[in-house]
Amino acid sequence: MSDIYKADLKLILKNTENETIKQLATEKLQYLNSHPRLGWAASIARGQSLNDLKYRYKNAIPDEKVKIMDILHNAN
């Protein structure tokens, strides 16, 4: 599951213009790459990231909304 999560974060970094979203994705990737994870911890982090994206969706520009929705849809 963490490999898919990392791929999602890399996709966000590649496709967003929003600096706040880029920063959030970068921080999450750095955390994943620097800390050992247990299955439940990765699940909690993924859930929090999805919640963060849902929150960011409200203020995103239309192109970013489409990308965020794609990520959220593929996460389920």
Side-chain angles (χ1 to χ4, degrees), residues 8-23:
D8 291 343
L9 291 170
K10 289 176 183 176
L11 184 63
I12 291 167
L13 286 171
K14 181 179 176 185
N15 290 304
T16 188
E17 299 295 324
N18 184 299
E19 290 302 319
T20 303
I21 293 174
K22 281 184 181 182
Q23 179 181 354

Side-chain angles (χ1 to χ4, degrees), residues 11-49:
L11 184 63
I12 291 167
L13 286 171
K14 181 179 176 185
N15 290 304
T16 188
E17 299 295 324
N18 184 299
E19 290 302 319
T20 303
I21 293 174
K22 281 184 181 182
Q23 179 181 354
L24 185 64
T26 299
E27 290 171 4
K28 298 277 185 190
L29 268 175
Q30 289 172 345
Y31 176 80
L32 288 175
N33 289 330
S34 66
H35 291 84
R37 298 170 310 279
L38 299 173
W40 62 269
S43 177
I44 291 169
R46 182 170 175 80
Q48 182 61 45
S49 179

